[in-house]
Amino acid sequence: MSEQDIKVPDLGGADEVEVIELLVSKGDTVEEEDPILTVESDKASVELPSPFAGKITKLSVKVGDTLSEGDVVGTIDTDSAGDGDDDDDSDSDDKEKGKAESEKASDESKDEDTDSDEDQDDKQKEKESDSGKQKSSGKKDGGSRKETVKVPALDGFEDVPVIDINVSEGDEVGVEDPLVTVESDKATMELPSPYAGRIDKILVKEGDKLSEGDDLLEMTVQEDDGGDADDETGGESGSEKVDKAPKEEPEGKSGKDKKQAESSTSEETEGDSTYQMPSPGSKVHAGPAVRKLARELGADLTRVKPSGPKSRILKEDVEGYIRQNLKKAQEGGSVEGAGIPGVKLPDFSQFGEVERQPMSRMMTATATSMHKSWLNVPHVTQFDDADITEMEAFRKSQKQAGEKKGVKLTPLPFILKACAVALAELPQFNVSLDMERKEVVRKKYIHIGIAVDTPHGLMVPVIRDVDQKGLWQLAEEAQELAGKARDKKLKPAEMQGACFSITSLGGIGGTAFTPIVNTPEVAILGLSRADMKPVWDGEAFQPRLLLPLSLSYDHRAVNGADAARFTNLLAQLLGDIRRLLL
Ligand code: CAO
């Protein structure tokens, strides 16, 4: 017996590395260069290869240990190798192999950082990928080896119940064949086989709750390596191991419905699940360090665009993906992976002639802010009618006065004034929510935005201190701001600072609508066309002019009773405008 120490080689610049996986066990027979440990520095994960062929007689490290160059991690009996190793040459062999080993480890470490295109580097990277956490033991037995398949990353989910076991002990499976189906609260996912081989033992049962890294089943895997080409195409030969990302299915589809699920379109799938379905047979190529980083940052690797050789995801790709999503979030755009399925457009030209036009900046901005409000604000709309018969009589009586002043007195200034009174009486409508700091921001001023329909899109200029202004002044300002909006002459300051908004479609028509709250405001009043309606006065129906009010509010800030009080108060104020003076 000729026992040799297995030492940690040059670590390519890293002083210390942590053992993250043992790839062999005592008694295993390995070939020279077979990976025995996976270690991780702060920059990369690398596999430490065996410097000799032989039988592992001792492994003196465990997961979590910290290693430096030269540390002994175990011993190997090179006599058991049967590969003609000459004992007499062992010293020089040691040196030669140690050197080769050092260069290799060094290359691997650099590889992760430098994204080299060289073939050799690719192989190392593929090897690194193959050391993923599904492979907890790699015992060789002639032309086959035993593998314990572990639960892959589940997109952040934990304790997901098994709803179906898709295989039985003794079954032969191919790479990516579904082994087990699990169901999170968002989607059903199939956990695919990372190997082709035979199922020896199933270690889970229906109802078990699984998390990443749990043992799933044991397999005998054929030792016939499929090679690079197969690895890239997801072929099923030999011990080829593929991405561990689970295949997701539309909700409600079990593993038994796999064929049906596979034949469904990606649009259907996305509509049913918050996940982005990886294309059939697709897989993620990423090393353990990259996977670890993705887990820490909450990045779904199936959504990260790879830039490494052979479509490998690099650390920079994960960081770039996170940066991009952060930027989108800050700009108020929808964030990938935020649980909002994208809308896939069909090819409209198949239905008839179409023409594409770029969206204007204003349309893009409006779309973004509407979307932001719609997604962030739990909306409720309260409807009511205000009897404005007397108000309209008064307004019309002021027509001549208005002409003299050069101001048109529409219902809008009355409504602005009534809203200012209501905001002062029900100040819970004059707030914004700071959800980050869990604070309510109460405003001591009353500025109201008015939605203006312009040829270039919707604009919302703001009338300041509405509570301190008279009807004529409000009419004048509303007219002036609406004119500026239509002429694209509004200054940014004239569109900022609103506490509340009014959107009037009364001049156009309609009976009711549900406006979208202009967040961070917490309410918006929609006005539809006033109409003469019969109103029962206790003795007879009277013709009255009723103005439909539609108050949308943020239900986080305002409760339904207050919303009813608000529209009720508006109806009273507009029903008897003398009350606006009180
Ligand atoms: N019921 C019946 N008639 C009404 C009314 C109502 N609720 N509101 C206004 N009117 C009448 C006005 O009295 C005026 O009639 P006269 O000319 O006979 O006096 C006519 O409708 C037109 O009024 P107006 O629209 O010029 O003026 P306004 O003060 O009512 O509104 C403004 C100003 C800027 C709000 C309005 O022009 C506008 O742009 N509205 C559209 C807002 C919008 O697009 N909202 C949707 C946002 S979400 O997509």
Side-chain angles (χ1 to χ4, degrees):
M1 172 154 155
S2 169
E3 238 176 27
Q4 305 283 343
D5 281 346
I6 306 171
K7 289 185 181 169
V8 176
D10 172 8
L11 292 166
D15 290 337
E16 285 194 331
V17 290
E18 188 187 321
V19 178
I20 59 165
E21 197 171 10
L22 303 181
L23 304 174
V24 293
S25 308
K26 186 179 167 192
D28 283 356
T29 304
V30 295
E31 296 299 322
E32 184 183 339
E33 298 287 305
D34 271 358
I36 51 171
L37 296 179
T38 307
V39 296
E40 189 167 60
S41 70
D42 55 349
K43 293 215 180 106
S45 299
V46 292
E47 288 178 349
L48 301 188
S50 174
F52 315 104
K55 191 173 186 174
I56 305 286
T57 48
K58 188 174 163 198
L59 260 188
S60 48
V61 290
K62 58 184 185 318
V63 171
D65 283 356
T66 305
L67 302 176
S68 301
E69 181 183 346
D71 286 351
V72 175
V73 299
T75 51
I76 185 166
D77 174 13
T78 53
D79 281 351
S80 313
D83 63 355
D85 259 2
D86 189 342
D87 277 357
D88 295 342
D89 292 344
S90 63
D91 261 13
S92 58
D93 271 353
D94 256 12
K95 278 176 196 150
E96 279 307 301
K97 284 166 188 167
K99 193 174 159 221
E101 173 193 314
S102 297
E103 281 166 2
K104 182 171 186 283
S106 165
D107 277 356
E108 281 179 13
S109 182
K110 280 180 206 150
D111 187 33
E112 184 84 28
D113 287 339
T114 56
D115 182 16
S116 158
D117 270 327
E118 288 170 30
D119 244 302
Q120 184 66 23
D121 288 347
D122 281 1
K123 279 188 183 144
Q124 298 303 347
K125 285 191 170 188
E126 291 304 320
K127 274 191 161 190
E128 177 197 311
S129 169
D130 289 354
S131 74
K133 285 183 177 154
Q134 274 178 298
K135 188 168 71 173
S136 68
S137 66
K139 292 181 188 165
K140 294 186 176 181
D141 177 17
S144 63
R145 66 173 196 275
K146 302 276 186 199
E147 293 286 355
T148 302
V149 176
K150 289 181 178 275
V151 175
L154 294 169
D155 274 333
F157 289 105
E158 286 184 354
D159 292 334
V160 283
V162 174
I163 58 162
D164 209 355
I165 311 269
N166 310 97
V167 290
S168 306
E169 289 176 6
D171 279 1
E172 293 288 338
V173 294
V175 175
E176 292 210 78
D177 276 359
L179 299 173
V180 162
T181 308
V182 295
E183 189 171 54
S184 73
D185 51 356
K186 299 255 175 68
T188 306
M189 295 173 268
E190 285 180 346
L191 308 187
S193 176
Y195 310 105
R198 193 185 64 242
I199 308 292
D200 294 331
K201 193 166 179 199
I202 297 171
L203 304 171
V204 295
K205 57 184 185 319
E206 274 182 34
D208 280 0
K209 294 198 170 157
L210 301 181
S211 299
E212 181 181 353
D214 288 348
D215 288 349
L216 202 59
L217 47 77
E218 289 169 2
M219 287 181 72
T220 300
V221 175
Q222 290 311 305
E223 217 22 90
D224 164 27
D225 198 322
D228 273 351
D230 276 351
D231 194 24
E232 282 306 300
T233 55
E236 298 189 3
S237 68
S239 64
E240 178 206 13
K241 178 170 174 297
V242 296
D243 170 55
K244 301 170 285 181
K247 271 191 182 178
E248 292 136 20
E249 288 199 342
E251 235 168 324
K253 285 186 177 158
S254 75
K256 284 172 186 153
D257 302 322
K258 179 174 171 272
K259 292 246 153 42
Q260 196 187 330
E262 279 175 355
S263 65
S264 68
T265 64
S266 58
E267 283 96 329
E268 283 168 343
T269 310
E270 283 186 7
D272 283 356
S273 159
T274 53
Y275 283 86
Q276 185 177 317
M277 179 84 165
S279 57
S282 76
K283 52 191 178 171
V284 176
H285 293 276
V290 173
R291 287 179 188 275
K292 184 165 179 259
L293 179 72
R295 269 198 306 279
E296 282 167 3
L297 299 178
D300 174 358
L301 282 177
T302 61
R303 291 183 159 92
V304 178
K305 199 171 164 212
S307 70
K310 298 193 177 177
S311 299
R312 288 188 68 76
I313 296 175
L314 308 178
K315 275 188 166 182
E316 302 87 274
D317 300 331
V318 175
E319 287 159 358
Y321 170 80
I322 294 290
R323 254 198 309 276
Q324 200 184 8
N325 269 325
L326 270 177
K327 193 167 164 249
K328 272 194 204 167
Q330 278 156 10
E331 286 168 355
S334 61
V335 176
E336 265 188 77
I340 301 156
V343 177
K344 279 228 163 86
L345 296 181
D347 173 10
F348 295 105
S349 65
Q350 66 185 304
F351 309 120
E353 195 184 328
V354 290
E355 182 189 305
R356 281 181 173 264
Q357 277 178 349
M359 280 190 195
S360 67
R361 281 181 60 198
M362 192 189 289
M363 189 177 176
T364 310
T366 304
T368 302
S369 72
M370 289 292 174
H371 197 206
K372 192 164 48 175
S373 293
W374 183 252
L375 293 174
N376 281 295
V377 175
H379 281 77
V380 181
T381 307
Q382 170 73 23
F383 301 100
D384 208 340
D385 283 332
D387 183 337
I388 58 166
T389 317
E390 270 84 40
M391 185 196 97
E392 272 298 273
F394 173 73
R395 185 180 72 84
K396 283 186 176 144
S397 74
Q398 297 302 306
K399 202 171 174 194
Q400 275 190 334
E403 276 166 12
K404 271 195 203 151
K405 288 174 187 284
V407 179
K408 189 173 166 191
L409 194 61
T410 66
L412 185 63
F414 295 86
I415 292 149
L416 276 164
K417 200 73 199 161
C419 286
V421 173
L423 286 168
E425 266 191 46
L426 295 164
Q428 58 271 47
F429 285 84
N430 194 8
V431 302
S432 285
L433 300 182
D434 186 337
M435 294 307 290
E436 243 169 57
R437 295 167 62 168
K438 303 279 180 296
E439 284 174 1
V440 177
V441 184
R442 299 196 180 281
K443 296 157 193 177
K444 310 287 180 191
Y445 50 86
I446 297 178
H447 305 336
I448 297 179
I450 46 170
V452 179
D453 179 33
T454 79
H456 7 275
L458 178 70
M459 303 196 79
V460 189
V462 179
I463 302 186
R464 307 183 93 78
D465 301 314
V466 176
D467 53 323
Q468 295 166 32
K469 292 175 179 166
L471 289 172
W472 288 116
Q473 192 178 349
L474 291 173
E476 198 178 332
E477 278 192 36
Q479 201 172 306
E480 187 191 327
L481 288 169
K484 278 187 173 182
R486 291 184 180 118
D487 296 341
K488 282 187 165 179
K489 289 203 172 130
L490 282 174
K491 297 192 182 94
E494 290 172 317
M495 293 187 282
Q496 291 166 0
C499 311
F500 178 88
S501 291
I502 296 175
T503 171
S504 173
L505 296 177
I508 303 167
T511 54
F513 63 110
T514 53
I516 295 180
V517 173
N518 198 7
T519 190
E521 298 158 35
V522 297
I524 180 168
L525 179 69
L527 303 170
S528 297
R529 176 179 282 282
D531 238 340
M532 290 302 280
K533 296 220 170 122
V535 175
W536 184 251
D537 69 359
E539 288 176 1
F541 282 104
Q542 301 294 340
R544 306 294 294 177
L545 186 63
L546 299 186
L547 171 69
L549 309 173
S550 307
L551 178 77
S552 289
Y553 58 93
D554 182 338
H555 209 336
R556 296 171 304 173
V558 172
N559 62 40
D562 286 336
R565 283 185 196 106
F566 194 95
T567 51
N568 202 28
L569 179 57
L570 283 182
Q572 286 173 21
L573 293 165
L574 296 171
D576 184 353
I577 53 169
R578 291 171 303 176
R579 295 186 56 166
L580 292 174
L581 301 170
L582 297 175

